[in-house]
Amino acid sequence: MKRSGYCPQTPAQIREMLAVIGVSSIAELFAVIPPELRARSFELPEGMSEFEMLAGMERLAGQDRRDLVPFIGGGSYDHLIPAVVDHLAGRAEFATSYTPYQPECSQGTLQALYEYQTVICRLTGMDATNASLYDGGSALAEAALMALRITGRKKILVDAAVNPFSRQIVQTYLANLAVEVVEIAALKGQGDRQQFLATLDDETAAIILQNPNFFGGVDDFSDLAAAACVRGALTIVSIYPLSLGLLKTPGEMGADLAVGDGQSLGNPLSFGGPSFGFLAVKKEHIRNLPGRIVGETVDKDGRRGFVLTLQAREQHIRRQKATSNICSNQSLSALRGLIFLATLGREGLVELARLNYDKAQYAEGLLAGIRGVSLLNAGPTFNEFTLRLPTAAASVCAQLLTRGIVAGVPLGRWYPGLEACLTVTVTEKRSRAQIETLAAAMEEVLWS
Amino acid sequence: MDYYFTKEHEWLRLDGQSGLVGITAYAVEQLGDITFVELPRPGREAKQSEVLCAVESVKAASDIYAPVSGRVLAVNEQVESGPEIVNQSPEEEGWLVRIELADPGELRSLMNREQYRDYLEGLS
Amino acid sequence: MELIFEKSAPGRHGTVLPKSDVSPAAELPAALLRAEPAGLPELSELEVVRHFSNLSRRNFAVDTNFYPLGSCTMKYNAKAAEEAVRLFAGVHPLLPYLPAGESFVQGSLGVIHQLSQLLAEITGMAAFSCQPLAGAQGEMAGIMMIAAWHRSQGQQRRFVVVPDSSHGTNPATAALVGYEVLTVPTSSAGDMDLDVFRQTMNNEVAAVMMTCPNTLGLFNSQVAEICAIAHGHGALVYCDGANLNAILGKVRPGEIGFDVMHVNLHKTFGTPHGGGGPGSGPVGVSEKLLPFLPSPRIAQRSDGSYYLAEPAAESIGRLANFYGNFGILVRALAYITMLGRDGLVEVSEQAVLNANYVMSRLKGWYDLPFDTGCMHECVFSAARQLKQGVHALDIAKYLIDRGFHPPTVYFPLIVKEAIMIEPTETESKETLDAFIAVMIEAAQLAETNPEALFQAPRTMPVSRLDETKAAREINVCCSWVIAGEERGLRI
């Protein structure tokens, strides 16, 4: 058998090492495993060279269609990524290191994460954040758990206009904890404020909102945050970070906890992962944050340096009393987010958000102008909007797919009664011509 | 004034119907630099041997157990803003909580300074 | 080194965006807009490149330094796997939710399904979900499935049993799922104390969580008996697969009584650790737990095509936005494909050989609390050096000066001054010998000149950092001024 290139010991070295250990064979090193516990099967394919492997992978990847024109978002967005992001985040010094437990030889990762924490705070208008969580959905679940810990209460109100997958993740995380999750109905693409205010009570730990919401609607939740505050409940706002180039921040709305998914910041679609989640908070809640946090300090000679801090919250010290079971973060994806934002810069992010808004508005005007098609959203939208079609959205979507266009997300699966609704996403990557092609094709599918 | 000690290295200094609670010099030495003290809310009813509050150092977190049952009358706000005071003066300025004794009979289950000293010797 | 914000100059930018091809839309109402742009740094592209290139040089990494961080399996990451990821870029995760949308993503669904099947064969579990985004999330899924299984049996149990040598994530996970934790001490042989375990077990125990081999790097030969005792009380047994690298092809946890396990793709299956993540923690189950697996699940039709299966009513639900850290799944599939059956067996054999070699060479110099043959990692104690006032940490810092990333120190918690060395299979004897020489040097310095260890490291951009100051004067983001008010101040 030809050995893999990843185990360097020569036969002579192996003999030498066995002699030092004082055993006669490698098998002897495994003698502690009783025979009855030995593997009875290990039926895996033969190994192969990297060239054969890549050829096989290429065949497999060829079964994905890559020529579709996507007008689809729903939590994962087709955005531009400057070449420096891949180039810099691909540096092996970042990619093949691990959690910076030894700060003196990990200042690269630590300083980058401190800078990442800073851009997240500045973007969201919050005071503090951690070094990233797994993804937006699990960040929302961690925020809900935080609110339960902080308030000692057992009820959470969730806007039905929050991403349905995120809501499912919250349900999964809370399923074993005797917590009541109340869903507030979404009308015309917005959470029902009257129901929110009527349901909010002194038992409520938190209200969960999303901006822009799953229908694309943009809102200012300041009034709800104020109402929650009066009741001693926390306000959790889930946001699409790229929209913060323009939109009011969770901090400005008075949110206590802001969460979101960082995919739109320099992370490719990659069939849904990896991206990163963020959870940013008002300063009084920092000790309740889950996950790694990087802090600034000085070394013995007074030079600035960075360390993992407030570790006494974490599982490796607190064990069952930790703020979460989370251990790793999504460091490299968060680094991509930082490089992305640093490359765009202060004005660039505004311009990017503006491009999304302008193109989506153009598309909204064209599509909502098609006979029989109307807009579900009663208020403003950012780069997504929801159309009400004269027929089932799923079948329109299917017909457009055959023409190579992914027209959006039909909502019926998650919102009974909205089977005719389609949420359309238009990012900066969609050209005017593609938007016009979509409008023409949709009109044709509907009326010819 | 009379100090009472627990096996978990808390001290209680009796002062009429109430007493101050803190952690001993030995406990502080074990923990290292204290970075944060999580104090209870005044008014809370504590039960003997149950968790009263927690102290954190860089690499450890330690629960502090109530040496006696009773109501929390006050907390030392100085340790909230400057936890180093617990390192500097664990058995005086670095007190944590003032507690109103619910049952003076519980004092019998605690050690006096001499007994605590012997107990520490037994640990090493 | 300056922060990126300190290099910023107003008006610079690092990239030019495409010109808009539509006319500007009407402004959004002011109430919906932020007061001013976020305070992002403003740099040219070259300045961004310099900043991050220079930052990267302040890291030790597997590609630059030996990185024997115990419990983390810092093996070499095959570059071909990075190439494989590029092939799968750009696929939108919601496509399978569209009518007939699965037909557009057969390649990506195939990656997940094929990897799940391979992991099942490697571990002897019935099936895997690749959705968990990290080991700790895989653990959480596992304990949630156990909770759901007990509920399906009409039972609500209270406790989860863990050995005191376990990873902190085990008890933290149990607590997160609502269980109380019972901790069993370690016997003098380094295994979970079987007598205490027997006494601890009762019919209120939902699960026993074991790391196999355990965190001391030892294989517990009584593991089947432990599983049997747990099952006798109606409890299920969870295998923390963090140390699977040691037993690839030797032991299949599914065959010896484990009901659930997670694997860390970033440890055993050679995906890069990314400075802390993204990792991936697929979770596998035995037959009886199949209906409880997270949803969505990827299944295969008889014609070979893949689809998203409707979630079972018993499923614990969704854990991640989509199907897991897909990019990591591609790398792991590439790795397993290249190594194949014999290559994976070679991994465990060489990993165990390397660890035993390091252990044999160093045991004259450092205390070995459990002096039996180890598996893929060995745990020393610096108790002997402590007599000279030298801590495990001082030895760790000295290693940095000599170009080695330190081993894991102070874990497992039950070993005083623990030094946990995991060389992995990808390191040559020459590298191991160089590392061993420096470890011996450190032991000698502890006797002759401990001050040299206390001063380390001296060759890094920073010397030892004041962690107490960091925790007392919290500064987790660089402050900025917004609307005349300074934000992000020390907390």
Side-chain angles (χ1 to χ4, degrees), chain A residues 101 103 150-152 287 308-313 316-318 321, chain B residues 35-36 38 41 51 54-63 65:
Chain A
Y101 296 113
I150 291 168
T151 61
R287 288 179 188 280
L308 293 176
T309 194
L310 302 177
Q311 293 191 70
R313 302 162 293 112
H316 61 286
I317 291 175
R318 272 263 161 97
K321 289 181 179 166
Chain B
T35 55
F36 180 64
E38 194 186 321
R41 264 187 275 255
V51 175
V55 298
E56 292 179 6
S57 62
V58 170
K59 293 279 159 71
S62 190
D63 285 332
Y65 301 93

Side-chain angles (χ1 to χ4, degrees), chain C residues 128-141:
Chain C
F128 265 81
S129 163
C130 290
Q131 202 180 125
L133 299 169
Q137 210 190 29
E139 276 178 38
M140 187 186 80

Side-chain angles (χ1 to χ4, degrees), chain A residues 94-240:
Chain A
F94 288 128
T96 71
S97 59
Y98 203 20
T99 306
Y101 296 113
Q102 297 288 343
E104 299 87 352
C105 60
S106 312
Q107 283 298 299
T109 294
L110 284 163
Q111 182 172 332
L113 289 173
Y114 177 85
E115 292 175 353
Y116 157 82
Q117 289 173 181
T118 301
V119 294
I120 293 297
C121 289
R122 292 181 180 193
L123 203 54
T124 57
M126 305 301 287
D127 298 317
T129 187
N130 59 22
S132 79
L133 295 169
Y134 303 139
D135 68 4
S138 67
L140 186 60
E142 289 281 6
L145 289 168
M146 246 182 107
L148 296 169
R149 278 198 301 277
I150 291 168
T151 61
R153 299 175 178 182
K154 291 282 184 192
K155 184 156 112 186
I156 300 232
L157 310 189
V158 187
D159 189 343
V162 170
N163 183 314
F165 288 167
S166 301
R167 284 184 280 133
Q168 288 170 13
I169 296 168
V170 171
Q171 294 280 6
T172 303
Y173 270 69
L174 301 184
N176 297 284
L177 300 180
V179 173
E180 187 190 355
V181 180
V182 182
E183 227 160 72
I184 307 295
L187 306 168
K188 294 189 176 172
Q190 298 284 14
D192 179 351
R193 273 185 160 64
Q194 294 317 311
Q195 201 196 339
F196 249 116
L197 295 171
T199 316
L200 185 63
D201 61 16
D202 297 340
E203 306 297 308
T204 308
I207 60 172
I208 297 180
L209 304 157
Q210 180 178 316
N211 195 47
N213 66 26
F214 195 67
F215 303 95
V218 174
D219 211 333
D220 172 12
F221 294 125
S222 303
D223 56 332
L224 288 174
C229 185
V230 168
R231 292 293 196 164
L234 302 185
T235 299
I236 301 171
V237 177
S238 172
I239 42 169
Y240 171 21

Side-chain angles (χ1 to χ4, degrees), chain C residues 322-380:
Chain C
F322 299 103
Y323 319 101
N325 277 336
F326 178 77
I328 307 299
L329 309 182
V330 176
R331 289 175 175 90
L333 178 62
Y335 177 85
I336 295 170
T337 304
M338 284 191 291
L339 269 73
R341 184 184 58 224
D342 296 339
L344 290 176
V345 172
E346 189 185 14
V347 164
S348 60
E349 292 185 346
Q350 296 292 315
V352 170
L353 174 69
N354 282 359
N356 276 282
Y357 177 70
V358 171
M359 188 179 87
S360 299
R361 293 276 321 268
L362 287 179
K363 70 179 175 187
W365 298 92
Y366 293 90
D367 287 354
L368 193 58
F370 304 100
D371 188 4
T372 56
C374 67
M375 298 300 285
H376 65 304
E377 61 194 1
C378 53
V379 181
F380 287 101

